Amino acid sequence: MPSPTRSIHVVAAVITDARGRVLLNRRTENRDMAGLWEFPGGKREAGETSEQALVRELREELGIEAQVGDWLMDVPQLYPDKHLRLEVRHVRSWKGTPRGREGQAITWVAPDKLARYSMPPADLPVVAALRHPDRYLITPEPDADDEAAHQLWYTRLAQALEAGVRRVQLRTPTSPARIALAEQAIGQHRQGVQWLLNRDISLAQRLGVGVHLGGEQLAQLQERPLPEGQLVAASCHDLEQLQAAQRLGCDFVVLGPVQATSSHPQATPMGWEAFDALRAQVSLPIYALGGLGSDDLAQARRHGAQGIAAIRGFWPG
């Protein structure tokens, strides 16, 4: 892709009403990406703060006086003609009645219905951040095929779930005892937890859960290996793998290592600048991986990440 000729900073609002619905604007026919739905907002002009820009844009677009709330995330996105940075803020309080003052359609959408709306690439990671967990636990492998080690592993998994982890990749190699351990974990915590099995597509099909693909599997598969409703994720380390995951229809990926990590000491960390540059070239939800934990969530969101993926960072003990 050729280098874009300009960089722009756009500030957008996640406006929610008392019922928890989110307001979307539809792009008008005289704009690029006409007909797509987006979070309302616009370009930050020279001399404006992000808050001033968003208040002005919402007044012009919707006829409301908004009280700008918490920051949610930034999303870098590379388009053919520009490099966009989308800064997203919550708006839960305003004066006036929102209406499309520039001839655009608007609609209020329940969060679990947002994925049904066609949106520009930069808005898609925002939908994921609103709807899905910001922590992705990758379990360590059980130490051995013996009951005591498995009981300790299971106890620590239960502690992680009690601490609020809701998306989990199980790394349990395919010995009968470890398959039984995975089945026990999934069976005991089926409700409210999103389970993915590391690499094992056939076992994921049998158990009705998701699969987390290795980078080498991305090059081998020609189509999504599981139906919609069963998550498909992948480990990525470069742009080629990210683009392959996007073509395959992965629901999310992990990208790293961002920082040095003891679990893969031979891997060269990419750093946040390289993560940001790769993030900008796809629209997938991406978890940052490598030497990170909950304290790094804000930093990850500054670079467009859905959240943090970790083993040691989220595994008790």
Side-chain angles (χ1 to χ4, degrees):
M1 179 180 291
S3 298
T5 57
R6 58 196 175 109
S7 295
I8 62 172
H9 187 145
V10 170
V11 190
V14 175
I15 303 175
T16 50
D17 66 7
R19 295 167 55 185
R21 299 178 303 172
V22 179
L23 190 145
L24 296 181
N25 262 344
R26 195 169 195 180
R27 297 177 70 88
T28 54
E29 293 301 320
N30 60 343
R31 302 175 63 189
D32 60 337
M33 295 182 281
L36 298 185
W37 294 89
E38 66 182 357
F39 298 99
K43 182 180 176 182
R44 193 176 81 175
E45 303 292 351
E48 285 185 317
T49 66
S50 295
E51 291 83 357
Q52 289 169 340
L54 190 55
V55 168
R56 173 183 54 76
E57 287 286 348
L58 297 182
R59 181 188 302 126
E60 293 170 358
E61 287 186 11
L62 301 173
I64 62 173
E65 294 296 323
Q67 182 175 333
V68 178
D70 298 337
W71 169 84
L72 175 64
M73 69 188 304
D74 285 9
V75 181
Q77 191 70 49
L78 193 61
Y79 292 103
D81 63 336
K82 60 180 176 286
H83 190 289
L84 175 79
R85 183 160 294 274
L86 180 67
E87 179 183 349
V88 186
R89 304 290 293 267
H90 285 288
V91 171
R92 299 184 176 91
S93 178
W94 64 88
K95 294 180 180 178
T97 301
R99 61 190 188 280
R101 294 190 65 202
E102 297 176 344
Q104 79 277 25
I106 67 171
T107 188
W108 291 96
V109 183
D112 62 347
K113 304 294 193 300
L114 285 170
R116 300 180 181 181
Y117 289 74
S118 296
M119 304 179 82
D123 292 70
L124 297 176
V126 183
V127 173
L130 291 172
R131 297 186 59 225
H132 299 301
D134 58 16
R135 289 178 290 168
Y136 181 35
L137 168 64
I138 305 168
T139 69
E141 296 180 8
D143 290 335
D145 277 339
D146 68 78
E147 186 175 348
H150 285 185
Q151 184 57 49
L152 177 60
W153 181 93
Y154 188 82
T155 297
R156 288 179 172 169
L157 174 61
Q159 291 171 344
L161 299 180
E162 289 172 4
V165 170
R166 289 295 175 265
R167 182 171 275 181
V168 181
Q169 179 192 152
L170 290 172
R171 297 200 308 165
T172 52
T174 54
S175 69
R178 294 179 182 183
I179 292 175
L181 188 62
E183 291 176 329
Q184 178 188 3
I186 294 167
Q188 289 288 328
H189 302 279
R190 175 73 71 168
Q191 298 298 318
V193 180
Q194 299 174 354
W195 298 102
L196 297 93
L197 298 182
N198 179 260
R199 289 183 167 84
D200 196 330
I201 297 170
S202 61
L203 184 58
Q205 290 171 328
R206 180 164 70 82
L207 297 181
V209 297
V211 67
H212 186 104
L213 304 172
E216 76 286 352
Q217 290 176 290
L218 290 172
Q220 299 165 359
L221 293 167
Q222 300 301 312
E223 59 183 19
R224 181 184 171 94
L226 296 176
E228 297 295 331
Q230 284 179 258
L231 292 172
V232 176
S235 293
C236 297
H237 306 283
D238 54 35
L239 180 59
E240 183 179 1
Q241 290 179 338
L242 286 171
Q243 291 173 333
Q246 186 157 279
R247 286 194 300 270
L248 200 62
C250 287
D251 297 288
F252 67 91
V253 301
V254 301
L255 176 63
V258 177
Q259 299 178 165
T261 173
S262 58
S263 60
H264 294 86
Q266 75 284 358
T268 302
M270 65 174 59
W272 285 115
E273 184 176 350
F275 180 96
D276 194 286
L278 290 169
R279 148 84 283 169
Q281 297 179 71
V282 293
S283 58
L284 286 163
I286 301 177
Y287 287 90
L289 174 74
L292 306 171
S294 295
D295 292 344
D296 299 294
L297 178 60
Q299 175 82 324
R301 286 276 177 94
R302 289 287 177 197
H303 298 281
Q306 159 86 19
I308 300 295
I311 303 173
R312 295 168 64 90
F314 301 143
W315 188 251

